[in-house]
Amino acid sequence: MHSLFMELYLFLIRMMSKEEFVKKLEDKQLFEQFFLPLFDQADKNNNGFIESSELYDCIKSIATEGFNKKAPSKEEVEKVLKEHDTNKDGKLSKE
């Protein structure tokens, strides 16, 4: 799961310095405090998975509302989903 959320942050890295980005990823406590709740927030239907539309909505919200930046395309988000969907069921889990 850690690599998935690194990918999510890669969408947002243009919004912070490289040093700040690396520091956030290396801090396990920050990872657990930020990224795990982000997963739960993205999982709108509370089924324990993030589907493509949920992932896109989450990234779009973070980019546009949190950082006032342009959201990635749906195709970019779909690519991240496919790269991390290990069982090819079209959704992501916390594991």
Side-chain angles (χ1 to χ4, degrees), residues 7-15 59 72 76-77 80:
E7 288 288 333
L8 291 178
Y9 243 102
L10 288 175
F11 280 123
L12 305 174
I13 194 168
R14 64 184 181 257
M15 300 165 213
I59 294 172
E76 290 175 297
V77 173
V80 169

Side-chain angles (χ1 to χ4, degrees), residues 7-92:
E7 288 288 333
L8 291 178
Y9 243 102
L10 288 175
F11 280 123
L12 305 174
I13 194 168
R14 64 184 181 257
M15 300 165 213
M16 67 181 73
S17 71
K18 181 179 178 181
E19 293 79 19
E20 183 180 3
F21 175 72
V22 170
K23 185 177 178 181
K24 288 180 185 297
L25 292 177
E26 290 177 345
D27 185 334
K28 182 178 179 179
Q29 183 178 6
L30 183 62
F31 176 80
E32 291 174 352
Q33 289 176 344
F34 179 77
F35 289 109
L36 295 181
L38 179 62
F39 184 97
D40 292 335
Q41 183 179 1
D43 181 18
K44 295 289 186 190
N45 62 6
N46 296 313
N47 67 354
F49 299 97
I50 299 176
E51 289 86 11
S52 179
S53 62
E54 292 173 324
L55 184 60
Y56 176 76
D57 290 345
C58 178
I59 294 172
K60 180 181 175 185
S61 176
I62 291 169
T64 59
E65 296 171 23
F67 291 95
N68 199 27
K69 299 290 181 176
K70 181 181 175 190
S73 70
K74 288 185 179 184
E75 291 79 18
E76 290 175 297
V77 173
E78 189 65 32
K79 181 180 176 185
V80 169
L81 177 68
K82 286 180 182 178
E83 288 173 3
H84 296 282
D85 180 13
T86 56
N87 64 358
K88 308 300 182 210
D89 63 356
K91 52 192 174 186
L92 304 172

